[in-house]
Amino acid sequence: MVGGDSSGGGGKPPSPLMSLAAGGIAGGVESACTYPFEFAKTRVQLYGHDVSADGRRLSRNPFRIVARVARDEGLGALYRGCSTMVVGSAAKDAVRFVAFDAIRAALLPPEEENGGKALSPARSVAAGMAAGVVASTLAVTPAERVKTALIDDARTTRRFAGAWDCIATLAREQGVRRALWRGYVTTTLKQIGATGFRFGSYSTIKDMERARGINPDGAAMSFANGAVAGTITTLLTQPFDTVKTKAQQARVVGTMESVRTILAEDGIRGFWRGTVMRLGRTVMAGGILFTANEQALKMLKALSGQ
């Protein structure tokens, strides 16, 4: 399992309810800590660069974007759509952790489960991919759609009063399915890759460390392992994230139209728009996510007397 000390170590796995709670806590903490990078990445993916209030093209550097927005629009602007992201991330990671643990356990042969052996890297990645489909359907696509629409709206029409107003307005104009699940295919493809590589690589790294007599469960090791898993995931899944963001802006834009627009504006390299921002976020996010999950599991086990 990903959580606690049960990842290939033969320890008692956490209950589904405990995995759900720990994953939700971890997702909320990670999202709140790293949201300004997500904000900067989304702006660059939507417009190809940061933009001023009067439409001037500005920097693509994430630190300059964060500093410029904080100076010109106030610190609160950096967290436009953050509440949606925090709630969505808590739900997403709660679902991802519990789904990954359940699917990984199902893929573990009985003799390996009894012997405490590690799951193969291929099966770990497959479990992560399946968990990504579940998470995208239940939580990720709706949360990403609303977050992206809010960030886009803040720079353009400014017609949404908040997340619930955004949902109600888009549902009224486009129908519930388009309002909340626009960009589902690209988001799901991204989640299949992201969850598969992130959870699979994290689990595999922990199993390799245990096989070499290294304890991977401390906070520092959890952070380092999560950061490595986040780096691998970002570089491999960035094109899906870029197309997904373009397709989820406030106005109606199809997936293929998004692909054509990106190609026309920047060519193939355009599919890696926002890589620096996303890499900066996911390196920290991977470390924070898995560290928070490990610590939350320890806290929940202590509270429950396990």
Side-chain angles (χ1 to χ4, degrees), residues 168-289:
T169 302
L170 292 177
R172 184 171 60 252
E173 295 174 352
Q174 303 172 19
V176 174
R177 183 179 64 82
R178 285 191 171 187
L180 294 179
W181 279 274
R182 174 164 289 282
Y184 174 76
V185 173
T186 49
T187 303
T188 301
L189 288 173
K190 174 200 165 188
Q191 286 301 308
I192 288 172
T195 307
F197 288 118
R198 176 178 280 187
F199 280 59
S201 60
Y202 180 79
S203 182
T204 299
I205 291 167
K206 288 185 68 174
D207 289 338
M208 291 172 61
E209 288 170 344
R210 280 201 173 94
R212 289 163 174 74
I214 301 170
N215 177 17
D217 294 324
M221 288 299 294
S222 293
F223 190 94
N225 292 341
V228 171
T231 301
I232 294 170
T233 301
T234 298
L235 297 176
L236 293 175
T237 62
Q238 185 65 24
F240 295 116
D241 187 69
T242 302
V243 175
K244 178 271 304 176
T245 299
K246 198 74 172 176
Q248 289 183 325
Q249 59 189 283
R251 69 184 182 89
V252 177
V253 180
T255 298
M256 291 311 299
E257 181 184 349
S258 299
V259 171
R260 287 191 294 269
T261 300
I262 293 167
L263 282 171
E265 291 175 349
D266 277 336
I268 292 296
R269 68 177 185 176
F271 292 104
W272 275 266
R273 279 181 184 173
T275 297
V276 174
M277 274 75 77
R278 187 166 172 238
L279 192 59
R281 178 179 179 268
T282 53
V283 167
M284 290 190 297
I288 293 169
L289 177 67

Side-chain angles (χ1 to χ4, degrees), residues 282-298:
T282 53
V283 167
M284 290 190 297
I288 293 169
L289 177 67
F290 288 108
T291 303
N293 181 70
E294 302 278 3
Q295 298 307 309
L297 272 174
K298 290 179 182 177

